[in-house]
Amino acid sequence: PIDIGLGINTGQLMLGTIGGAGRMEGTVISDAVNVASRVESLTKTYGAPLLITDATYVALKDRDAYGIRCIDRVRVKGKREPVTLYEILDGESEKARASKEGTREAYDRGLKALWRRDFTEAVAAFSRCLDQAPGDKAAQHLYIRAQQFGEQGIPAEWQSIFHAAEE
């Protein structure tokens, strides 16, 4: 199987063709394209084959037609405003999708607890996720973050947003 990650964002862009008679190349540029690229790199962090931004999530006509779970709020490199990420589960294997769907309630509870800085509850909720779905990389990532914040405290400037500038 091919194992790649896709990041999708919705927004304005400029499309152009550059080159000459012997070589032509199409390209797109915009802030929306940059965000999509940054989100694509986060698929490795969260172990998600397909991540979409809140702009794409809001633009979906029939959200209930897809298996979607909120993953995290991040501030990507080059952006001041945070982006909420959603994982599309439809591209997962049946086993992986069923595993993540089965832990959705605990995952959501853990994510909300993390955002409100209740690290004890977040660790407990993500631990329940990992008991049932040990391969859930997003739950592992957030479990470690909640555990570290619970033990070491949070940075003074932390606003319940993951800074993905280093990603």
Side-chain angles (χ1 to χ4, degrees):
I2 296 173
D3 187 17
I4 62 170
L6 300 174
I8 298 176
N9 185 36
T10 300
Q12 297 286 321
L13 60 84
M14 290 181 58
L15 169 69
T17 305
I18 57 173
R23 182 171 178 232
M24 299 285 285
E25 183 177 320
T27 191
V28 291
I29 57 171
S30 76
D31 189 52
V33 172
N34 182 48
V35 169
S37 175
R38 303 296 183 188
V39 169
E40 178 183 352
S41 71
L42 289 170
T43 61
K44 296 176 202 85
T45 300
Y46 294 99
L50 177 56
L51 291 175
I52 64 172
T53 64
D54 43 354
T56 301
Y57 179 79
V58 168
L60 290 173
K61 295 200 184 325
D62 186 8
R63 289 182 211 119
D64 294 333
Y66 307 98
I68 301 174
R69 75 172 179 172
C70 184
I71 288 291
D72 201 358
R73 281 192 302 233
V74 301
R75 183 171 293 123
V76 296
K77 184 177 179 180
K79 293 293 291 175
R80 295 178 73 177
E81 294 299 314
V83 176
T84 302
L85 299 179
Y86 296 86
E87 179 180 18
I88 305 296
L89 301 174
D90 296 328
E92 297 271 9
S93 70
E94 278 188 44
K95 182 179 178 183
R97 181 177 179 169
S99 176
K100 290 178 180 181
E101 291 284 3
T103 61
R104 182 185 297 268
E105 188 178 314
Y107 188 96
D108 290 347
R109 188 172 26 256
L111 191 57
K112 289 174 184 167
L114 182 65
W115 288 348
R116 70 174 183 274
R117 303 174 184 215
D118 184 349
F119 304 121
T120 303
E121 173 59 26
V123 166
F126 290 126
S127 180
R128 285 192 295 279
C129 287
L130 294 171
D131 286 345
Q132 294 176 15
D136 187 341
K137 196 168 178 182
Q140 291 171 353
H141 178 74
L142 295 173
Y143 172 83
I144 291 167
R145 188 187 319 163
Q147 193 174 45
Q148 288 174 341
F149 285 168
E151 292 172 358
Q152 301 167 8
I154 57 174
E157 73 281 355
W158 193 67
Q159 299 172 338
S160 303
I161 299 165
F162 176 59
H163 291 264
E166 69 277 1
E167 299 299 326

